Amino acid sequence: MNKAYIGVPLGDPAGIGPEIVVKSIAKEETNTYANIVVFGNKEILEKAIEVCEVEMTINVIEDPKDGVYNNKTLNLVNIDNIDMDKFVPGEVSGMCGKAAFEYLAKSVDYAMNSKVKAIATTPLNKESFKAGNVPYIGHTEVLEDLTKTYNPLTMFQVRDLRVFFLSRHVSLRKACDLVTEENMYEFIVRSKEALRQLGIENPKMAVAGLNPHCGEHGLFGDEEREIEPAIERARKEGIDVVGPIGADSVFFFGLQGKFDAVLSLYHDQGHIATKTVDFHRTISLTNNMPFLRTSVDHGTAFDIAWKNIANEVSLVEAIRLAGEYAPNFNNK
C-alpha cells in the first residue's frame, strides 16, 4: 500500500517539539504509517538528534518525492530562521515563536498544493507567538486564516472514541449560552460532514446532554429544550443522530463503538472524557479544511524541554491517524 506524505512542522524550537519529532521518526513503527516530511531548522534538529542520542542523518529536500523514508533518515524542508548563538532551550522567545509560525505556514503551503496529504503538528507557545509579533493565538487560528476556512471543526480521537466540540476556548457561562437550536443544528450537520470526509459514510452520532440527567425535563436546567428540536430537525433530513444522552454515560457508549462520534457541548466535557481514557494517545484533528490536520494534545513543556525525557507517543499516534485518514482527502 502506498503511504501518504505527511508534513510535520517542528513547533516551537525551545520546547519539546524537536525531541518528539526525532524520537518519533527513529521508531520503525512510525515509518509504517506515512512518509514523514519535517518542516523546521536543520541546526535545531541536529542538536535534537544529539540530545536524544539517536542514529539519524538529515536529508534536506524541497520535493517530498526526493525523500528517503526510513527510521535512520529525517527528510527536512529546511527553514533557516534560528540564530543558534541566541537560542535558549525551555524559554519564551520571540525568535522561536516566529520560527514556529514559519514552519507551520510552510507545511500549510505544501498541503494546499498537494505536496503532502496532511499535517501532524507539534506544540506552539502562545507567549512566544506574542513575543514574535505573530498575530494569532494558536494553530487553529493560523489554519483558519491560511486555508480561508470558516470556523474549522475540532475532533478528538482516542481508540474508537471520536468527540466533536460545539465550543472551544470560551468561558463555561459563554459555552452554555452557545447551546441554541440553530447552533446545535449547524453543529450536527458539520460533524456529519467531517466524519464523511474522514471516510465514515452515514455515521451514527450521539449528542451529550448539558445538564445532569439532561435536566430531567426542565427540573434543573432547560438547555436541552434547545438541543432536542435541532436533533429532530437533523433526523428529518436523514442524519443518524440521537440524544441528548447524559454526559456521564454517552462517552462510554462511544468508546464501546455504539456511536461513530459523540458531540460534546463544551471544551472540558469532551477533553476530560477522552484524556481519562488515554492522555498520551488522545489526538486532536482539525476538520472541514482542504486537508487534514492532526495534532498532539499537549504543550511545549518548557520545564522538561531538551532533557531527553519528552514522551513521543502522542506524535506517533498523530502521524498514524494522519496516515490513516489522509487518503480520504482530495487536497485542493
Side-chain angles (χ1 to χ4, degrees):
M1 187 174 86
N2 291 330
K3 293 179 290 184
Y5 295 108
I6 303 299
V8 177
L10 195 58
D12 192 306
I16 62 173
E19 292 168 90
I20 62 173
V21 167
V22 166
K23 289 181 178 181
S24 296
I25 294 173
K27 287 179 173 286
E28 289 188 18
E29 168 199 357
T30 316
N31 292 274
T32 67
Y33 302 139
N35 293 327
I36 303 158
V37 181
V38 178
F39 296 82
N41 178 267
K42 186 172 185 285
E43 291 179 292
I44 288 289
L45 284 161
E46 287 173 338
K47 185 177 178 70
I49 289 170
E50 180 182 342
V51 168
C52 295
E53 300 177 338
V54 297
E55 182 184 341
M56 182 177 291
T57 59
I58 296 176
N59 180 35
V60 176
I61 60 173
E62 290 188 10
D63 189 334
K65 294 178 182 178
D66 295 332
V68 178
Y69 296 98
N70 57 55
N71 69 319
K72 302 292 185 185
T73 307
L74 189 153
N75 295 283
L76 173 67
V77 176
N78 184 40
I79 302 171
D80 186 12
N81 55 9
I82 294 293
D83 182 343
M84 295 303 291
D85 291 333
K86 297 179 180 178
F87 174 69
V88 181
E91 292 189 5
V92 171
S93 160
M95 176 180 69
C96 288
K98 185 172 182 290
F101 168 73
E102 290 172 353
Y103 305 146
L104 177 59
K106 180 62 90 171
S107 72
V108 168
D109 177 65
Y110 270 56
M112 293 292 284
N113 287 285
S114 301
K115 293 180 180 180
V116 297
K117 286 291 291 181
I119 62 173
T121 59
T122 57
L124 302 172
N125 185 280
K126 293 178 175 62
E127 290 183 69
S128 294
F129 256 29
K130 184 177 180 180
N133 296 313
V134 178
Y136 302 98
I137 297 173
H139 278 112
T140 304
E141 292 75 17
V142 173
L143 293 168
E144 184 174 10
D145 188 24
L146 295 186
T147 64
K148 306 305 178 189
T149 300
Y150 168 70
N151 192 20
L153 191 62
T154 298
M155 184 190 93
F156 274 19
Q157 179 164 338
V158 57
R159 299 183 192 170
D160 291 330
L161 175 61
R162 302 180 186 88
V163 178
F164 289 97
F165 300 87
L166 174 64
S167 58
R168 297 192 302 269
H169 297 151
V170 298
S171 71
L172 184 55
R173 186 180 301 278
K174 175 67 173 176
C176 293
D177 293 339
L178 292 172
V179 181
T180 66
E181 179 180 343
E182 195 59 36
N183 285 347
M184 285 303 309
Y185 170 73
E186 180 186 2
F187 181 39
I188 292 167
V189 172
R190 294 177 70 222
S191 296
K192 179 197 173 182
E193 174 59 24
L195 289 168
R196 188 202 63 76
Q197 197 175 29
L198 292 175
I200 304 169
E201 297 294 337
N202 303 313
K204 184 176 182 64
M205 300 180 293
V207 177
L210 181 67
N211 295 297
H213 310 290
C214 294
E216 295 281 15
H217 303 288
L219 288 178
F220 30 84
D222 58 7
E223 285 83 3
E224 275 72 19
R225 293 175 180 173
E226 294 285 328
I227 300 170
E228 290 163 355
I231 292 173
E232 185 61 28
R233 179 178 167 189
R235 288 181 63 84
K236 286 180 180 178
E237 296 179 6
I239 298 175
D240 191 352
V241 57
V242 297
I245 299 173
D248 59 349
S249 59
V250 69
F251 296 100
F252 171 78
F253 296 142
L255 184 62
Q256 300 306 306
K258 185 173 181 179
F259 307 111
D260 292 303
V262 176
L263 277 57
S264 171
L265 301 187
Y266 59 94
H267 182 280
D268 282 12
Q269 184 183 59
H271 278 240
I272 292 168
T274 52
K275 291 179 182 179
T276 301
V277 173
D278 192 326
F279 185 88
H280 291 296
R281 288 183 170 82
T282 294
I283 302 304
S284 175
L285 293 84
T286 306
N287 298 277
N288 301 125
M289 298 193 304
F291 59 87
L292 175 66
R293 173 251 180 162
T294 65
S295 180
V296 300
D297 192 46
H298 58 70
T300 46
F302 281 167
D303 57 323
I304 64 168
W306 292 91
K307 298 176 182 178
N308 195 22
I309 57 178
N311 190 324
E312 74 278 10
V313 168
S314 190
L315 182 56
V316 173
E317 190 70 3
I319 292 169
R320 182 185 73 80
L321 288 178
E324 177 182 329
Y325 286 135
N328 297 308
F329 283 70
N330 293 315
N331 297 26
K332 58 185 178 179

